[in-house]
Each structure stands twice: as structure tokens, then as C-alpha cells.
Amino acid sequence: MNATLNRFINLREDLKNSLQFKLGIVTKLVFKKMNAQLVQEGIPVLAEQLPILMVVYFQEHAMTQQEIANLLQKDKAGIQRSVQTLYKDGFLKIESDVVDKRKNLVTLTASGKFVCERIQALVIAFDNQVMEHFSEEERNTLNGLLDRVAAVIDK
């Protein structure tokens, strides 16, 4: 019984110290803080929706929902739900493709562009708030390590 309990305790500690668990905690905290800042600024967008808005914002042409899903590596159904919500909220415009009527083209509305510009300022301010607690060398090391983790996983 004691050996089983020790294995369980060790496994629990291994999981708590795993990359997935640590990144999950950081991601959850970042989204929670970002959502609070968005509410405080009166921006009716969730942090989880930001990648869609920003992908569309930085594209030079209208995108299909499938292109957005591919770029963000998300399933099309999830992207479709978020796009519909952002459309209803007035941030995205959805038009049928003139060539292929089965495709919807997504672009930002004027209020979508305005919100994206405000969000960029919030993201930069948030990043600065967190990173001011690290030296330049630590920031460079952290960024390098995260890039390396991404490269290893992406192989």
C-alpha cells in the first residue's frame, strides 16, 4: 500500500511539473487577466476570440473560415462559432465568395479594426507588465526556450 501511495504522489508531482500543466496554468492566467482587462476597457471580446480578429486584421485580403482555421490550427466548427459571434457583435463582415458560393469570406468591419488597434495596445501593455519582472537576459532566455519547445513539438 505504501509503495502504491508513493507512486501516486510521485506521479502527481511529475504531472504538476510537466510542460503541459505549467503551460496550461500560464495560459489560463493570461486569458483570465486579459479578459478582465478587456471588460475594464469596455471591449466586448473574449481573449479566446483575439486570435481570429488579429489573423483577419493582419491579412491583406478577405479570408475564408477554413483559411482562418488552418492558420490557427483549430477545427473549422469552433472557428465558425466564434466568427458568427464576432459577426453578430459587429466586428466581422461575412460575404459569400463570388467565385465559390459555398465559401464565406471574412473581413473586419470599421469597429473590428478599431477594436484590434485597442487590443494591440492592451497586449503590449500586458506583456510589459509581466516582463518588467525579468531582466533582458531572462526575457531573451524565456523567448528562446519557448521557441525551442515549439520547434521540438512541431517536428
Side-chain angles (χ1 to χ4, degrees), residues 15-64:
L15 288 174
K16 282 174 46 179
N17 290 317
S18 71
L19 177 66
Q20 297 91 327
F21 191 80
K22 295 284 186 184
L23 289 178
I25 288 172
V26 170
T27 300
K28 184 178 176 183
L29 290 171
V30 167
F31 277 56
K32 183 178 176 182
K33 182 73 169 185
M34 208 49 213
N35 281 330
Q37 287 183 340
L38 290 166
V39 167
Q40 184 179 351
E41 292 292 319
I43 301 172
V45 175
L46 295 173
E48 294 81 0
Q49 297 168 324
L50 296 183
I52 294 170
L53 284 174
M54 298 317 274
V55 161
V56 176
Y57 178 77
F58 286 110
Q59 288 299 314
E60 295 175 10
H61 58 83
M63 300 180 73
T64 66

Side-chain angles (χ1 to χ4, degrees), residues 38-92:
L38 290 166
V39 167
Q40 184 179 351
E41 292 292 319
I43 301 172
V45 175
L46 295 173
E48 294 81 0
Q49 297 168 324
L50 296 183
I52 294 170
L53 284 174
M54 298 317 274
V55 161
V56 176
Y57 178 77
F58 286 110
Q59 288 299 314
E60 295 175 10
H61 58 83
M63 300 180 73
T64 66
Q65 292 176 9
Q66 185 62 58
E67 289 172 327
I68 296 169
N70 293 345
L71 198 59
L72 294 175
Q73 297 180 344
K74 302 279 185 181
D75 67 291
K76 187 178 174 185
I79 294 296
Q80 198 167 18
R81 283 189 300 276
S82 292
V83 164
Q84 286 299 319
T85 300
L86 292 166
Y87 168 76
K88 288 175 189 167
D89 291 342
F91 299 119
L92 293 178

